[in-house]
Amino acid sequence: MKKLITIVLITLSINAFAQNKAKTLLNEVSKKVKSYDNIALDFKYILENTSENIKQETKGDVIMQGESYRLNILGVTRLFDGKTLHTISPEDEEVTISSENENDVDAITPSKMLSFYEDGYTYVLDIEQNLEGRKIQYVKLTPIDSNSEIKYILLGIDATTKHIYNLITIGKNGTKTTLVVNSFKTNTPLSKTLFTFDPNKYKDYYINKLD
């Protein structure tokens, strides 16, 4: 009985240590991200579902400043000024005007991409890997909400720069999405109208305004 209690106590101590280390690392990442006026990322995005024989890979880029962002992916530009989201599709010649769905706890939007883990997850230190000459420490995050469609997330953090290297999301439906940051630039000079939608540029587009 004493041996069992000892094993349980050791296990609890290890788990607590891993959680504390993970919290410390995430706090360092959060502090670093919030110290920048703006962040520009080039990234690769991979969607996989083995059972459905699906594997899609694409590239994109995003510029973020506070809650605002400009995201380019799959030929579509998404402009968010902190209040209104404009989704511009040149292929369809359509602009959709809406707002970000703040009630969707599973949605990791660009404005939350580098800070989403601060609320709604439990976390623990996971494996460490050497990738392309960089030491990447993973933190495993599990949604607190049992109804979440996400099973868990692996957040890869560059141990030297404290920047996010990749984000691996495992869904309960077997879907795996991977976002890999190819370049990470900060505090670059930005146009004052970078996140502003200019209707004069899209006079011939169909405007789809959602409530």
Side-chain angles (χ1 to χ4, degrees), residues 2-210:
K2 288 183 179 180
K3 185 176 181 180
L4 177 61
I5 292 175
T6 301
I7 293 173
V8 171
L9 290 175
I10 291 174
T11 302
L12 290 174
S13 297
I14 292 174
N15 288 340
F17 177 75
Q19 288 174 350
N20 288 336
K21 289 283 286 184
K23 183 177 182 179
T24 298
L25 181 57
L26 291 177
N27 285 343
E28 289 176 345
V29 173
S30 179
K31 184 178 179 180
K32 196 75 175 286
V33 166
K34 291 176 181 177
S35 71
Y36 300 127
D37 178 63
N38 61 68
I39 297 173
L41 306 177
D42 287 336
F43 61 87
K44 177 171 64 176
Y45 183 80
I46 305 167
L47 171 68
E48 300 173 88
N49 189 311
T50 305
S51 62
E52 299 292 335
N53 196 30
I54 295 174
K55 184 171 184 180
Q56 299 172 344
E57 184 174 324
T58 188
K59 292 182 179 179
D61 61 81
V62 61
I63 299 175
M64 298 169 282
Q65 185 174 49
E67 292 297 313
S68 302
Y69 63 80
R70 185 185 188 97
L71 169 67
N72 296 302
I73 190 169
L74 295 172
V76 174
T77 297
R78 292 164 65 89
L79 284 176
F80 185 64
D81 60 8
K83 293 182 180 179
T84 306
L85 175 65
H86 290 84
T87 302
I88 307 164
S89 175
E91 182 178 351
D92 301 322
E93 294 191 341
E94 180 178 359
V95 176
T96 301
I97 304 174
S98 61
S99 59
E100 282 193 325
N101 187 358
E102 297 179 353
N103 296 321
D104 187 353
V105 295
D106 286 343
I108 300 175
T109 60
S111 54
K112 296 192 300 181
M113 191 169 72
L114 302 178
S115 61
F116 73 93
Y117 52 81
E118 295 178 344
D119 187 38
Y121 295 88
T122 60
Y123 40 79
V124 65
L125 215 59
D126 205 84
I127 64 172
E128 179 183 290
Q129 290 184 330
N130 286 314
L131 299 174
E132 300 179 354
R134 301 162 68 181
K135 180 180 173 184
I136 307 299
Q137 174 63 62
Y138 284 92
V139 175
K140 183 176 182 180
L141 301 109
T142 304
I144 294 173
D145 182 3
S146 59
N147 294 320
S148 171
E149 294 180 3
I150 295 174
K151 187 175 181 181
Y152 64 87
I153 295 173
L154 289 173
L155 184 65
I157 299 167
D158 187 312
T160 302
T161 64
K162 298 301 185 294
H163 290 165
I164 292 176
Y165 170 75
N166 65 355
L167 182 69
I168 303 169
T169 304
I170 307 298
K172 290 179 179 178
N173 63 354
T175 299
K176 174 184 177 183
T177 60
T178 304
L179 187 148
V180 181
V181 177
N182 293 322
S183 71
F184 192 111
K185 298 178 182 179
T186 61
N187 299 337
T188 56
L190 302 180
S191 164
K192 291 182 179 180
T193 60
L194 182 65
F195 308 110
T196 303
F197 176 73
D198 183 357
N200 293 320
K201 293 181 179 179
Y202 307 97
K203 290 181 179 179
D204 297 329
Y205 280 44
Y206 173 71
I207 305 299
N208 181 20
K209 192 169 184 179
L210 305 179

